[in-house]
Amino acid sequence: MPVIAVDAMGGDLAPEEIVKGVAAASLATAIECVLVGDEPRIQAVLDTLSYDPAHIRIHHAADAVGMQEPPREALRAKRDASIRVGASLVAEGQADALVSAGNTGACLLACAREFRTIKGVRKPALASVYSRHTDHPGQDPLAMLLDVGATVRCDAADLVQFAVMGSAWAHCVSKVARPRVGLLNMGAEPFRGGDVLAEAHERLAALPAIDFVGNVEGSDVAKGRADVIVCEGLLGSVVLKFIEGITDVVNDVASHAVKQRFVWRLGMRLLSRGLREVAHLTDHATYAGAPLLGFEQLLVKAHERSRAPAIANAVKLAAKTVRDGVVAEIAAGIQAVRA
């Protein structure tokens, strides 16, 4: 069973919700977790919970990177920061993967410093797994969008590698026999979006190992046309934040309507099923997180506002990704593209 290091001090709700999530995972699975952070604070939370001590141990780290701190400066000043110590444990083989809901920049920098890049990978990519509508029975209800923030700008070769990495993940973890890959663009025509996207379209269409469905637009992101959607990090991050923001809007609208006239409350009752589906589509509270792909070791980056269920799911996702051999399949795919 994989051993998962968990940054107990990362996130808006750390360490309480992080420790609660790990405690829940210890009762529901046989996954071993290493909680990395301030040992007295972690133990104080554990003492209030039910958990399986055979599946949890604590590795003390005296410092933590705050959510608003400049990541580079914080990591330089805090050599015993929990995210850095957690990444070191994975790099040294004391754990198989890392989970953190902490400062995204610090997570990426810590992994870049401690992890080894898969041979041939130009840029690692942060991949968000999200719920979407399906096109046909049996289609996986989860899709993947990458990159969502590990990069800012990319060239065509980077986008091709993102397609290879996302396809390998969907094949290994989601068990999609031949994942459909789309290129996020402003139109369906191959020449849309400028030179980089046009070249990426041409190169992806020429790869027999990739089931490339062409350009997909923003309206396709939540639909079933593509199992994996690739884009540069700037665009992916904007799309991801937009999806997350829909949850807040839906909740605000529902809360406001309930306080108004009876006919509004009646209308909300009639729409309740649809609102629940929208909320489920966009709610980040229970989603596991975003795997960082392209390294020989794995990080699952959970949302900074993750609560215990999301952390427990992130731990399960990290363990499953290790068990299913995603890194090896990505490495094989990258070598095939280079050949």
Side-chain angles (χ1 to χ4, degrees):
M1 185 60 67
V3 177
I4 308 302
V6 180
D7 174 12
M9 312 311 291
D12 291 344
L13 305 175
E16 287 78 10
E17 290 296 322
I18 312 300
V19 177
K20 288 179 183 177
V22 170
S26 77
L27 296 175
T29 74
I31 301 168
E32 295 183 34
C33 289
V34 182
L35 282 164
V36 184
D38 187 323
E39 183 169 10
R41 290 185 65 188
I42 294 171
Q43 190 60 58
V45 179
L46 278 175
D47 289 344
T48 67
L49 304 171
S50 295
Y51 69 99
D52 187 341
H55 295 156
I56 297 177
R57 59 187 168 92
I58 302 173
H59 187 104
H60 181 69
D63 287 326
V65 177
M67 300 302 291
Q68 306 303 324
E69 286 190 83
R72 193 175 302 278
E73 291 77 3
L75 284 178
R76 187 180 299 124
K78 300 177 177 179
R79 303 188 67 82
D80 202 28
S82 57
I83 181 60
R84 186 167 189 170
V85 173
S88 297
L89 293 177
V90 177
E92 295 166 0
Q94 298 187 52
D96 299 298
L98 174 64
V99 170
S100 178
N103 184 309
T104 300
C107 289
L108 298 178
L109 280 174
C111 291
R113 290 179 179 180
E114 302 292 341
F115 292 177
R116 293 182 298 275
T117 306
I118 292 172
K119 184 179 180 182
V121 168
R122 295 160 53 94
K123 294 177 181 176
L126 194 59
S128 177
V129 179
Y130 62 95
S131 183
R132 49 88 183 267
H133 284 292
T134 54
D135 272 356
H136 54 269
Q139 188 176 27
D140 193 315
L142 300 177
M144 170 173 278
L145 176 71
L146 73 165
D147 173 45
V148 295
T151 65
V152 178
R153 299 295 187 187
C154 301
D155 63 22
D158 299 325
L159 293 169
V160 170
Q161 290 201 344
F162 293 171
V164 171
M165 293 192 286
S167 187
W169 195 94
H171 180 253
C172 284
V173 178
S174 297
K175 309 305 180 189
V176 180
R178 188 166 169 78
R180 296 187 296 185
V181 178
L183 178 65
L184 189 59
N185 205 333
M186 56 188 293
E189 298 83 356
F191 56 82
R192 288 280 191 174
D195 293 342
V196 170
L197 292 179
E199 182 184 347
H201 189 289
E202 182 179 357
R203 296 175 67 162
L204 285 168
L207 281 179
I210 298 294
D211 186 5
F212 182 53
V213 298
N215 289 339
V216 296
E217 300 180 74
S219 57
D220 296 317
V221 170
K223 298 179 181 176
R225 186 176 171 218
D227 303 300
V228 176
I229 297 176
V230 297
C231 59
E232 63 181 12
L234 178 64
L235 179 57
S237 180
V238 170
V239 171
L240 185 63
K241 294 297 183 185
F242 176 75
I243 292 174
E244 293 172 359
I246 292 176
T247 301
D248 297 333
V249 173
V250 169
N251 290 335
D252 286 347
V253 169
S255 176
H256 178 72
V258 167
K259 297 175 182 175
Q260 302 304 316
R261 295 183 300 174
F262 171 76
V263 67
W264 287 33
R265 292 198 292 272
L266 179 61
M268 288 303 300
R269 180 170 297 179
L270 294 173
L271 291 171
S272 59
R273 180 177 177 182
L275 289 172
R276 283 198 301 271
E277 290 181 353
V278 172
H280 174 71
L281 181 70
T282 59
D283 187 11
H284 54 74
T286 59
Y287 288 167
L292 180 61
L293 303 177
F295 289 110
E296 293 181 3
Q297 297 80 23
L298 177 74
L299 164 75
V300 172
K301 174 62 181 71
H303 195 281
E304 58 264 28
R305 288 182 283 166
S306 291
R307 294 191 176 275
I311 296 301
N313 287 338
V315 168
K316 296 173 189 174
L317 175 64
K320 180 174 174 53
T321 304
V322 171
R323 284 197 307 265
D324 291 349
V326 171
V327 170
E329 181 145 339
I330 289 175
I334 293 296
Q335 292 310 309
V337 170
R338 296 178 71 199

